[in-house]
Each structure stands twice: as C-alpha cells, then as structure tokens.
Amino acid sequence: MTLLKRQKPVHLVAIAVGIGLLALAAGPVAAMAADPVRKTPDNFAYDIKDGKRVPKAGNRVTNPDGSWREERQDGDCVIVREKTASGEYRETRSC
C-alpha cells in the first residue's frame, strides 16, 4: 500500500497570489479616487470638465467678419493671439 503525500491544491495557491496582487494594485487606485479633481498642466490650452475638453478661459473677442483676438495670462507673461478675417494668425508674448 502506498501513501500519497497530501499537497495543497494548486487553485488555492493561485487564489492567494491573486488576492495579494489585487491588494498591491488597490493602493494607487485608491489614491487616484481620493483626488477626483485633477488639474491639467498650465501649458495645455484646455481644461477637462465632465470628461470633455473645454477651452481654457481667456477673454476672446470675435468679430462679425470672423476675426478674433484673445489675451491669456501665462505666469508673468501675457499671450495675445490674433487671427484676421483673411486667415493670418499671430501670437505675441510679452513678459
């Protein structure tokens, strides 16, 4: 008569390893969920609101002929973006 050694079932070991990996992954996910308001970097021209891109607030003035002018504060500098009715685009920065 032979006696077989009793071994731990492989599926229990796999479950224990899976639970351990899940616990490791839950830390960063919980940290991201704790800070739901994320700010886009300053050099981006848009913010993300409700999962959609929204242009950053700037005082853009649009004329009936299709031309526009926009001023935006970027740190100590002021960026002025202009587009004429003929399609010419100009961006100036003054610090």
Side-chain angles (χ1 to χ4, degrees):
M1 209 159 87
T2 59
L3 295 175
L4 298 174
K5 291 184 181 179
R6 183 169 173 111
Q7 296 178 348
K8 290 183 181 177
V10 176
H11 67 279
L12 290 180
V13 173
I15 290 173
V17 169
I19 291 173
L21 290 175
L22 184 63
L24 280 173
V29 172
M32 286 182 2
D35 185 20
V37 179
R38 298 179 67 188
K39 187 176 184 310
T40 56
D42 291 334
N43 60 349
F44 281 30
Y46 61 87
D47 285 326
I48 297 178
K49 294 183 181 176
D50 296 329
K52 298 178 183 175
R53 288 185 186 183
V54 177
K56 278 194 177 175
N59 53 351
R60 179 181 280 202
V61 177
T62 305
N63 299 321
D65 63 355
S67 62
W68 53 266
R69 173 183 165 84
E70 177 183 49
E71 292 184 17
R72 199 172 96 203
Q73 190 77 24
D74 185 21
D76 293 336
C77 301
V78 176
I79 300 171
V80 178
R81 297 171 43 195
E82 298 173 298
K83 187 169 184 181
T84 63
S86 62
E88 297 172 11
Y89 176 78
R90 179 174 48 201
E91 185 172 313
T92 56
R93 176 180 287 242
S94 60
C95 296

